[in-house]
Amino acid sequence: MSDALKERKEKLFYDHKNGYDRLTAADEAAMADYCQGYMAFLQRGKTERLCVAQAVALAQAAGFKPFTRGMALTAGDKVYTVNRGKSVMLAVMGRESLRQGCQITASHIDSPRLDVKPSPLYEDSELAYLKTHYYGGIRKYQWVTIPLAIYGVVALKDGTVREVALGEGSEPKFVVTDLLPHLGAEQGKKPLNEAIPAENLNILLGSRPVEGEGSDRVKLTVMEKLHEKYGIVEEDFISAELEVVPAMDVTAIGLDGSMIGGYGHDDRVCGYAALRALLDLDTVPEKTAVCMLADKEEIGSMGVTGMQSACFDTFMEDLCAAQGVALRECYEKAFCLSTDVTAAFDPNFSEVYEKKNAAYLNYGVGLCKYTGARGKSGSSDAGAETVAYVRRVLDDYGVMWQMAELGKTDVGGGGTVAQYMANRNITTLDAGVPVLSMHAPFEVVSKLDCYMTYKGCKAVYLAK
Ligand code: MN
Ligand code: MN
């Protein structure tokens, strides 16, 4: 190719290079550090409650104080509020009034899993089981024959709450069994989505009967162990929130260690990025920076701890009140980066992606103008000016980014909290880490993309 032609192409064509061909030495060092912190967070953050607890501990260590209504707030003040233990909102007060808007990131810290039913415990053929009801979009066949752990709370009638953690570290784990191939011929003919019925997702809890005669002796073993450990009786399952999650450790993936495998990247990988970026702000931002870690995104952002809940508006209204600003004035000038994961192009399944608009591993944080399904149904579809604004903010801060669409048109679709922020009259754009095997018990992301998402959140907080 002649130099002149090359020049003309370089001038006009969109250049799309692997992030590793552009990574600076400084970013490479910071990336390793950052990813270590994220892996530790993900390892412990098996539920939304455990993510909130970690977020609060990290925030307090960074000088954040619990927000109380009526509190005086000045530039540089760092505050947070926890919503019912399952969602958390944090803010660093900016130099400008909230009348000029604020810079928000919104991600979610709930992940697909198996929830324990209210009346779960039974014995069948001298084996004890817990019945579950899956939460979020899972592919049921992926949840059998893998080690599982149980985390959550049991709320007793007297108001005390027992924290449950079963299957940690070297403790015994749990499992959902599956058929052996020798007897699985009929099952094997079924479509993937039907081979494992939801009501088969029963957790194997024990096999050793207590001494004596009669029925339910294994169930008694199990119940006695639970009583000994947590002081609970069978009826207490009724007011429990127990989440069965994969017990695999978070680990580096690949000979080059360039990726991270673990449970719950969706969307703790963005939640941690947004949180860490806020905690790491070393200058007082021009506008108030707000980090929202929401619950219940995987089931439609419903409920009192979801993004549709007024809890976010209440927090923001309280911040605005401290400055005599109306919430609506703040919202109409605010910007929100809805930080949620997107599908990474998977060459094993290239047929469901559209190559020109898919997100790729190691190309940076994926910006998603619209999510939704079919004709963008259920998407907030950000405006061109909004995308241009984010391009500028990210480029100015040296963040690697790419455009992302969740699969081919008409193949599938998805949603995030973006629409619920946009509905509040907040200018919003989706952006997040591309994930391989999203919603599987063990998802994969690239370290470079994790770090660039963190950097992108920081850029948004510091932007004007
Ligand atoms: Mn998500
Ligand atoms: Mn999801």
Side-chain angles (χ1 to χ4, degrees):
M1 187 165 41
S2 74
D3 281 357
L5 198 59
K6 198 175 159 206
E7 207 173 289
R8 279 158 67 195
K9 283 186 174 173
E10 271 172 9
K11 184 180 166 201
L12 294 176
F13 287 0
Y14 177 40
D15 184 32
H16 212 55
K17 267 196 198 133
N18 190 295
Y20 278 99
D21 295 329
R22 295 177 279 157
L23 194 64
T24 64
D27 269 342
E28 178 137 23
M31 177 175 98
D33 238 31
Y34 170 79
C35 287
Q36 226 172 16
Y38 169 55
M39 287 169 78
F41 179 87
L42 190 64
Q43 177 71 32
R44 288 192 292 266
K46 301 283 190 186
T47 67
E48 55 283 351
R49 286 177 193 265
L50 292 169
C51 286
V52 166
Q54 285 193 85
V56 167
L58 292 170
Q60 285 175 346
F64 281 68
K65 301 268 181 288
F67 175 76
T68 50
R69 185 165 297 143
M71 200 170 171
L73 293 170
T74 51
D77 282 354
K78 302 168 176 182
V79 293
Y80 69 89
T81 291
V82 171
N83 179 14
R84 296 166 173 86
K86 297 199 277 189
S87 123
V88 58
M89 296 156 281
L90 308 97
V92 176
M93 302 308 292
R95 281 180 276 128
E96 280 186 357
S97 158
L98 281 161
R99 186 165 285 121
Q100 305 309 316
C102 57
Q103 297 292 99
I104 307 166
T105 63
S107 27
H108 68 93
I109 47 175
D110 61 314
S111 297
R113 59 181 188 253
L114 307 178
D115 280 345
V116 172
K117 290 195 188 201
S119 181
L121 185 60
Y122 69 99
E123 178 173 329
D124 190 343
S125 313
E126 295 175 278
L127 297 171
Y129 292 97
L130 276 182
K131 290 211 68 70
T132 64
H133 192 136
Y134 67 94
Y135 171 99
I138 66 161
R139 312 196 72 191
K140 297 185 246 325
Y141 71 90
Q142 295 176 337
W143 290 73
V144 296
T145 68
I146 58 167
L148 299 166
I150 304 173
Y151 294 91
V153 296
V154 180
L156 304 182
K157 267 202 294 188
D158 68 5
T160 55
V161 174
R162 299 278 150 79
E163 269 192 56
V164 171
L166 293 164
E168 282 210 298
S170 59
E171 283 182 358
K173 312 280 186 282
F174 310 94
V175 71
V176 178
T177 56
D178 193 9
L179 269 180
L180 58 169
H182 318 67
L183 300 177
E186 282 308 308
Q187 182 203 36
K189 290 178 194 160
K190 291 181 184 172
L192 277 180
N193 289 341
E194 292 167 23
I196 307 289
E199 292 294 354
N200 274 30
L201 295 174
N202 302 315
I203 312 297
L204 184 57
L205 216 55
S207 72
R208 181 172 176 158
V210 295
E211 271 181 48
E213 301 282 313
S215 63
D216 282 345
R217 290 189 299 138
V218 180
K219 178 177 166 181
L220 186 56
T221 300
V222 163
M223 207 53 243
E224 279 181 345
K225 290 217 173 282
L226 289 171
H227 182 73
E228 192 185 307
K229 199 158 184 190
Y230 301 114
I232 58 172
V233 296
E234 188 181 7
E235 192 183 333
D236 294 324
F237 277 116
I238 288 169
S239 49
E241 256 181 333
L242 298 174
E243 304 179 8
V244 184
V245 299
M248 292 96 84
D249 285 340
V250 176
T251 176
I253 294 284
L255 278 175
D256 53 10
S258 61
M259 297 164 280
I260 304 171
Y263 162 69
H265 284 312
D266 178 8
D267 182 36
R268 292 156 189 159
V269 70
C270 296
Y272 181 77
L275 172 72
R276 192 74 256 176
L278 190 78
L279 306 188
D280 288 354
L281 290 182
D282 40 21
T283 53
V284 177
E286 186 134 328
K287 293 192 179 170
T288 294
V290 178
C291 170
M292 168 82 206
L293 302 180
D295 179 30
K296 297 282 177 274
E297 192 278 340
E298 294 297 355
I299 57 169
S301 296
M302 322 303 262
V304 77
T305 52
M307 199 63 250
Q308 296 195 65
S309 159
C311 78
F312 179 74
D313 309 293
T314 303
F315 176 66
M316 290 306 300
E317 194 166 353
D318 284 345
L319 295 187
C320 284
Q323 300 183 346
V325 174
L327 181 64
R328 63 179 190 281
E329 291 179 277
C330 175
Y331 275 1
E332 69 191 8
K333 287 194 177 156
F335 170 73
C336 174
L337 195 69
S338 162
T339 46
D340 202 347
V341 299
T342 188
F345 180 81
D346 186 337
N348 266 337
F349 302 99
S350 59
E351 66 278 8
V352 297
Y353 298 88
E354 192 268 282
K355 281 192 162 181
K356 264 189 80 60
N357 288 279
Y360 293 82
L361 244 55
N362 294 325
Y363 277 75
V365 56
L367 309 187
C368 223
K369 185 178 184 293
Y370 47 84
T371 53
R374 302 175 304 281
K376 303 189 181 181
S377 181
S379 163
S380 68
D381 201 5
E385 297 85 344
T386 305
V387 182
Y389 165 75
V390 175
R391 281 173 66 192
R392 182 171 73 244
V393 166
L394 299 185
D395 280 345
D396 286 352
Y397 202 73
V399 180
M400 293 179 199
W401 58 271
Q402 57 184 324
M403 285 312 286
E405 224 188 6
L406 206 155
K408 267 185 183 165
T409 311
D410 276 348
V411 166
T416 67
V417 301
Q419 56 182 313
Y420 307 111
M421 295 312 246
N423 289 349
R424 289 174 157 102
N425 197 23
I426 298 171
T427 301
T428 303
L429 178 66
D430 265 310
V433 176
V435 179
L436 290 170
S437 316
M438 193 200 293
H439 281 208
F442 192 79
E443 305 170 309
V444 174
V445 295
S446 107
K447 287 181 176 173
L448 186 142
D449 300 333
C450 293
Y451 174 67
M452 287 300 158
T453 301
Y454 157 78
K455 233 180 132 169
C457 290
K458 219 171 184 185
V460 164
Y461 292 142
L462 294 171
K464 292 171 190 173

